[in-house]
Amino acid sequence: MKFYPYKRLNRPITLRVTSASLKLSDGNRDPLDTSAYSTPQRTVALGVAQHEDWMSARIGLSATLPPGAGDPDAPWSDLRVLAVLTDGDTNVRTTVDLRQDAPGSKEWSGEIEVHRDDHVGRAGLAVYAVATIDGVPGRSITETDGDWTVDVAAEEPLGGLRLDVKQASFSRSAREWLRSYSDVPWVIDASGRLPLVMINTDVEGFSDLLDGESGGFENKVHELLVSQMATDVWTAVFHSAVGDLEVEPDGSPVFPTDWQGEVLREMLPDVVPGLRVEAALRQVHRRRTGDAGWVELQTRVHYAAARRAGASKAVANVLRALQQMNREDSA
């Protein structure tokens, strides 16, 4: 624990990546889609577009300061919010000022440029709120509670959604609620501290296929099953998150602070594209609690879930493997 000889805020800054794009060697800029960054994993994967000739990346940032940061009677002045990218391998440190979205707002945003020649692997991205206290400028009053990772080579933000995965015989489980689901291969419980995926060992061979690393066509089927399971998980946790929102007195929904908030910030850009996540959440809440629009939104929810589960890639891999087998059989 660190001790400071001055008053600070006791809650951290929330940092989100809102966009990413690559500047190519010909001067063109290639915007990356939302699969390039993951809020639950706090990771940006700049290799997602598989460009070999990119020169720099521009990452859009949005930071939410905790209550009290901008209070008129706060014991500090000259408040600034800084995004800092640090690479321990190359000893490069890049700092940019974020801008307050509106007077009095807790939201600050901006962009940071990542030059490819300055980095060889992974760099840490954090945000600090600094101010003048007792006549001393640049004192930190709060910061993010964990760094984001910017990976210049990775093709996906590894890790995905944090899950608790367990296996059990549904028909004989001590969890009585599982017994009524004994004829399905898995179920999802999104009511706990982490989403729980229960794998049904009663389905002969299913657990072995999920656990195995046999290679060949079985490995492709494994990927497809995991992708389908992940699609179900993302869909379930999204509905759990939007179905359990706290609401302000004016009716505005509040972002959860646990995994549910991470899920919403991850999926909302694809569920309601073109809006900041706060505005997207308000629209989703209105549709869910209102008279119209919720059913129509389900296609977007499934799309967002399937993208994060890598469904297209898994299906393509199975199809290629089948085509290869057919060619070998006909040879």
Side-chain angles (χ1 to χ4, degrees):
M1 179 181 293
K2 293 182 179 180
F3 294 93
Y4 297 85
Y6 55 87
K7 186 173 178 60
R8 282 171 40 95
L9 294 167
N10 58 12
R11 293 177 60 185
I13 297 172
T14 300
L15 172 62
R16 298 173 297 280
V17 170
T18 57
S19 65
S21 64
L22 300 179
K23 183 179 180 181
L24 308 181
S25 58
D26 60 6
N28 290 323
R29 189 166 290 277
D30 182 18
L32 303 181
D33 61 30
T34 56
S35 64
Y37 44 92
S38 168
T39 299
Q41 293 303 307
R42 299 184 182 184
T43 300
V44 183
L46 296 178
V48 65
Q50 298 184 333
H51 285 298
E52 297 295 332
D53 58 344
W54 66 275
M55 309 297 290
S56 65
R58 184 174 296 163
I59 300 174
L61 306 174
S62 177
T64 303
L65 269 58
D71 287 356
D73 57 350
W76 48 72
S77 60
D78 306 321
L79 178 64
R80 297 172 64 193
V81 179
L82 307 175
V84 181
L85 183 71
T86 305
D87 192 323
D89 293 328
T90 59
N91 291 323
V92 171
R93 183 182 178 94
T94 304
T95 302
V96 298
D97 278 276
L98 302 185
R99 303 175 303 274
Q100 193 172 23
D101 289 359
S105 174
K106 294 185 295 184
E107 304 295 328
W108 295 63
S109 59
E111 297 174 330
I112 193 166
E113 202 79 14
V114 181
H115 296 280
R116 188 175 190 179
D117 289 344
D118 291 341
H119 306 279
V120 294
R122 295 182 146 207
L125 178 63
V127 170
Y128 299 83
V130 300
T132 299
I133 304 177
D134 298 330
V136 180
R139 283 184 158 176
S140 174
I141 61 171
T142 186
E143 57 278 319
T144 44
D145 61 356
D147 287 2
W148 274 67
T149 296
V150 178
D151 194 318
V152 300
E155 295 182 8
E156 59 179 322
L158 299 176
L161 181 65
R162 291 175 293 168
L163 301 172
D164 186 10
V165 181
K166 299 185 186 310
Q167 298 191 17
S169 166
F170 284 14
S171 62
R172 297 184 298 275
S173 175
R175 295 178 171 91
E176 293 187 6
W177 64 272
L178 281 176
R179 296 174 189 172
S180 60
Y181 303 109
S182 59
D183 57 343
V184 297
W186 66 78
V187 293
I188 301 155
D189 178 8
S191 63
R193 184 180 59 85
L194 286 178
L196 170 65
V197 181
M198 294 297 304
I199 306 298
N200 188 2
T201 59
D202 293 335
V203 180
E204 185 176 355
F206 182 59
S207 295
D208 293 338
L209 183 59
L210 288 178
D211 294 337
E213 294 290 341
S214 59
F217 184 69
E218 285 190 8
N219 189 53
K220 305 304 179 186
V221 176
H222 164 93
E223 292 178 8
L224 186 63
L225 286 172
V226 170
S227 171
Q228 177 60 56
M229 190 184 307
T231 300
D232 290 351
V233 170
W234 279 106
T235 303
V237 296
F238 180 86
H239 283 284
S240 174
V242 298
D244 194 29
L245 292 172
E246 293 184 9
V247 179
E248 298 277 15
D250 64 358
S252 299
V254 178
F255 266 103
T257 57
D258 56 5
W259 64 263
Q260 293 182 327
E262 295 178 347
V263 164
L264 292 174
R265 294 186 188 280
E266 179 87 1
M267 293 183 68
L268 282 171
D270 281 333
V271 175
V272 188
L275 296 180
R276 293 175 62 91
V277 289
E278 290 80 7
L281 181 62
R282 288 194 294 270
Q283 183 174 135
V284 168
H285 181 66
R286 283 197 301 269
R287 291 194 183 194
R288 191 185 70 82
T289 59
D291 296 330
W294 179 238
V295 173
E296 290 79 5
L297 202 63
Q298 300 313 300
T299 301
R300 298 294 312 184
V301 173
H302 183 267
Y303 166 73
R307 287 194 64 196
R308 271 142 196 84
S312 295
K313 181 180 179 181
V315 170
N317 287 341
V318 167
L319 292 176
R320 280 194 293 268
L322 282 172
Q323 292 168 355
Q324 179 66 28
M325 291 174 61
N326 291 335
R327 286 194 294 268
E328 292 174 353
D329 290 344
S330 60

